[in-house]
Amino acid sequence: MALRRVSKKSIELGLWHSHGLVREFSTFSLPNLPYDYWALEPVIMTEIMKLHHQQHHQSYVTNYNNALVRLEHALTMADSPTIVRLQSAIKFNGGGHINHSIFWKNLSPVKELGGEPPKPSLGSAIDRQYGSLDALIQKVNAEGAALQGSGWVVSFRNFFEQLSELHQILKWLALDKERKQLSVETTADQDPLVTEGSALVPLIGIDVWEHAYYLQYRDVKSNYLKNIWKVINWKYASEIYEKECP
Amino acid sequence: MGSFCYHTFPASSHLLVSDFAPGFKSPKLPYLSKQQERWFSRSQGASKIFAYYGLREPPYKLDALEPYMSRKTLEKHWGGHHRNYVEGLNKQLEKTEVLYGCTMDELVKVTYNNGNPLPEFNNAAQVWNHDFFWDSMQPGGGDMPKLGVLQQIEKDFGSFTNFREKFVEAALTLFGSGWVWLVLKREERRLAVIKTSNAVCPLVWDDIPIISLDMWEHAYYLDYKNDKGKYVNVFMDHLVSWNVATGRMARAEAFVNLGEPKIPIA
């Protein structure tokens, strides 16, 4: 069963069959960026994009493929301990591949309307639920208003800070397609968004792993989170939103 | 083992405890504190007690580990991340009185709460972890351990090469962020290489760590980008402090019986 799902996914991503395997098993490959490595300057420097895509994402893909090959072998040998043991490698590397494939589409260069606020239906949904786009951005960046006493703001910020200092995290603007509501989610490590709720569809994902910003922003994560909104691809997010909530 | 003087006591942050009558503003914390003792002061009529931890400096200058770990990295890692953990911990401790007066070791164990960590755990453990990590390195480090540590490694791993391979492999197969440790396991009374995620450290299982390596990306990204293998090998070849490890082993042997002492026959 796992194999069939894998094959379907691989067709969706458009791939090549790995040599030597006779079965109907397809491996995954690194998707191309929809823009040049230097296209997101000065928000994200070229070197980060190159490393992020050619090294980090590539290694997720490679390790994901390796884990799947080993899984396939274990399945044919009915080797339960190995099957179970491989799950964490698949979750981490497969999750990494899924997430980064989404991230590349979530960004777009400024001259291709990166950072432009979202159009009608998504835009008004955001206004309805969060008040304004800025309020949403604040929430995702977990900065909140500077009101000292506001329990919700303080505790949410502490939670974010703690979570992000404890794990490497990813931040998401998600659509709950059953309740037709937007939500801001945080996942740890490379857990895909669905681990937070099976009805969640990612609209925007932001990689807050250190490798995504460290070379440029060093340890000042908040600058990275402030600036990345300048290259967020709201057009793509709107398309997904309109597809799920016509 | 008395030929060098080294405090093997990993609880290295300076602890200040002071009382304040309500309405007083807490003083600014001194960031660079070199004292190791903790002192208490209580007075009659004090109504609230605060505990603060200070950021301890590494036992070498920030550029002493060049070219293997750059000054830039130490400035960001120690001055930025480690400092944030300390400040974050102090902010959290302001709100609770129950956790005051602990050494770092105690604080880590108490906040781990047997697997159900309290919110302070993550900051406390990371402060402890980083203190331990800076101490685990030295300029001109690397090479091989000597005497007791080498003997124990050879006993538990077969050979030093085998141990080194295991250590490197653990570092490279860690998912996400975490630490790699050489620990002395109390129950099993042997050395082992373990990897932990995020902020967890072997103290919480009552084991005795001997050396550690930070595998969070911020620890190596500025110097080695994505090349984890190079970072780990450089650490083993040029940075790890076996002197410190020897001291720690010596102290550990007071708590763990590693075998019959060799009594010379007359």
Side-chain angles (χ1 to χ4, degrees):
Chain A
M1 211 168 302
L3 279 180
R4 256 184 272 135
R5 239 180 263 140
V6 159
S7 302
K8 217 168 104 174
K9 189 97 179 120
S10 50
I11 292 169
E12 276 167 20
L13 290 170
L15 344 189
W16 41 269
H17 285 270
S18 100
H19 53 271
L21 288 179
V22 180
R23 285 171 153 260
E24 210 197 286
F25 179 88
S26 298
T27 48
F28 294 88
S29 65
L30 183 66
N32 285 328
L33 290 188
Y35 33 77
D36 293 306
Y37 287 119
W38 43 260
L40 299 178
E41 293 263 13
V43 175
I44 305 184
M45 62 196 245
T46 316
E47 196 180 3
I48 291 187
M49 290 306 293
K50 272 202 188 140
L51 279 167
H52 205 173
H53 183 244
Q54 293 173 346
Q55 307 267 4
H56 291 271
H57 192 175
Q58 179 65 70
S59 76
Y60 287 131
V61 171
T62 312
N63 292 332
Y64 184 36
N65 287 333
N66 288 341
L68 289 174
V69 166
R70 297 208 313 263
L71 176 70
E72 191 216 0
H73 183 72
L75 284 168
T76 51
M77 308 286 276
D79 180 358
S80 284
T82 309
I83 295 175
V84 174
R85 198 165 40 88
L86 284 169
Q87 297 309 311
S88 63
I90 292 178
K91 183 180 184 198
F92 182 72
N93 292 300
H97 174 50
I98 294 173
N99 294 331
H100 284 81
S101 304
I102 297 174
F103 295 151
W104 307 136
K105 296 193 226 157
N106 279 151
L107 302 170
S108 77
V110 176
K111 65 173 163 51
E112 285 170 37
L113 303 179
E116 281 282 310
K119 295 295 179 294
S121 61
L122 178 56
S124 53
I126 290 179
D127 288 338
R128 231 183 7 247
Q129 235 181 294
Y130 296 101
S132 69
L133 183 58
D134 282 330
L136 171 63
I137 291 177
Q138 299 267 29
K139 180 158 191 204
V140 177
N141 293 355
E143 273 161 23
L147 300 170
Q148 255 294 344
S150 165
W152 176 84
V153 166
V154 170
S155 63
F156 189 78
R157 182 194 316 177
N158 282 343
F159 170 72
F160 167 66
E161 276 170 7
Q162 276 173 47
L163 191 62
S164 63
E165 291 296 342
L166 182 61
H167 290 266
Q168 302 266 39
I169 61 164
L170 313 169
K171 299 238 65 167
W172 303 91
L173 172 65
L175 168 65
D176 184 329
K177 61 184 176 190
E178 275 161 26
R179 289 160 54 208
K180 304 284 191 237
Q181 261 199 317
L182 297 172
S183 66
V184 172
E185 304 287 343
T186 307
T187 53
D189 299 326
Q190 288 295 349
D191 295 351
L193 183 61
V194 291
T195 55
E196 287 292 318
S198 48
L200 292 177
V201 174
L203 298 177
I204 301 275
I206 302 180
D207 188 354
V208 199
W209 278 61
E210 284 164 346
H211 64 236
Y213 63 88
Y214 212 73
L215 288 179
Q216 189 172 351
Y217 294 95
R218 300 302 154 92
D219 57 336
V220 191
K221 201 182 340 198
S222 49
N223 282 348
Y224 166 67
L225 286 174
K226 255 201 304 243
N227 283 333
I228 195 162
W229 295 99
K230 298 184 188 150
V231 287
I232 289 284
N233 187 355
W234 284 110
K235 193 159 132 259
Y236 174 73
S238 299
E239 280 167 21
I240 301 194
Y241 183 79
E242 269 146 37
K243 199 163 63 135
E244 298 289 343
C245 299
Chain B
M1 294 296 166
S3 54
F4 60 90
C5 168
Y6 194 85
H7 55 276
T8 53
F9 195 70
S12 48
S13 300
H14 176 158
L15 172 64
L16 306 164
V17 178
S18 31
D19 311 320
F20 290 95
F24 266 69
K25 261 197 129 178
S26 19
K28 223 54 177 118
L29 173 75
Y31 291 140
L32 299 180
S33 146
K34 294 196 179 74
Q35 284 170 291
Q36 299 307 312
E37 304 157 338
R38 60 181 172 158
W39 49 270
F40 290 88
S41 69
R42 268 179 207 251
S43 58
Q44 310 296 72
S47 53
K48 213 165 185 209
I49 301 183
F50 294 103
Y52 293 98
Y53 291 87
L55 177 66
R56 197 175 78 98
E57 284 182 332
Y60 34 76
K61 285 209 168 65
L62 293 187
D63 57 5
L65 298 179
E66 297 261 12
Y68 308 110
M69 194 177 271
S70 64
R71 182 175 57 85
K72 255 188 327 184
T73 299
L74 276 169
E75 273 173 9
K76 285 293 156 196
H77 197 176
W78 173 75
H81 293 269
H82 192 179
R83 187 180 306 240
N84 280 340
Y85 289 129
V86 172
E87 287 178 16
L89 179 63
N90 286 331
K91 269 205 213 95
Q92 284 173 317
L93 290 178
E94 265 174 36
K95 302 190 193 103
T96 163
E97 287 181 10
V98 182
L99 293 174
Y100 86 94
C102 300
T103 61
M104 279 317 291
D105 284 37
E106 288 166 9
L107 188 61
V108 167
K109 285 193 206 167
V110 163
T111 48
Y112 184 67
N113 203 17
N114 279 318
N116 237 335
L118 305 178
E120 290 83 1
F121 171 71
N122 138 56
N123 280 324
Q126 283 292 68
V127 171
W128 191 94
N129 289 338
H130 281 88
D131 279 339
F132 190 86
F133 178 52
W134 304 132
D135 291 343
S136 299
M137 296 191 289
Q138 67 170 80
D143 208 14
M144 296 254 292
K146 314 244 177 346
L147 304 170
V149 177
L150 183 59
Q151 271 174 17
Q152 193 66 34
I153 287 183
E154 285 174 348
K155 182 159 162 245
D156 292 328
F157 293 99
S159 69
F160 179 72
T161 323
N162 201 15
F163 150 72
R164 194 182 187 287
E165 263 176 35
K166 281 214 153 59
F167 195 84
V168 171
E169 192 208 333
L172 297 178
T173 53
L174 188 62
F175 290 147
S177 330
W179 301 77
V180 187
W181 308 81
L182 172 64
V183 283
L184 180 64
K185 289 190 159 282
R186 236 185 250 260
E187 292 272 321
E188 298 162 41
R189 292 192 268 169
R190 50 161 295 148
L191 290 174
V193 169
I194 63 171
K195 44 186 180 180
T196 60
S197 277
N198 304 311
V200 181
C201 75
L203 273 194
V204 304
W205 302 302
D206 224 19
D207 290 332
I208 304 175
I210 306 292
I211 55 170
S212 79
L213 175 59
D214 190 354
M215 289 307 293
W216 280 67
E217 282 172 340
H218 60 238
Y220 59 87
Y221 216 75
L222 290 178
D223 294 332
Y224 300 99
K225 312 269 165 33
N226 195 27
D227 200 344
K228 287 201 276 198
K230 191 146 171 245
Y231 167 61
V232 184
N233 280 306
V234 161
F235 172 80
M236 288 304 288
D237 291 335
H238 298 286
L239 288 174
V240 66
S241 173
W242 289 115
N243 285 335
V244 165
T246 312
R248 289 170 178 161
M249 272 293 281
R251 181 172 178 268
E253 285 181 39
F255 299 92
V256 180
N257 182 3
L258 285 175
E260 291 297 320
K262 286 202 181 63
I263 301 174
I265 302 172

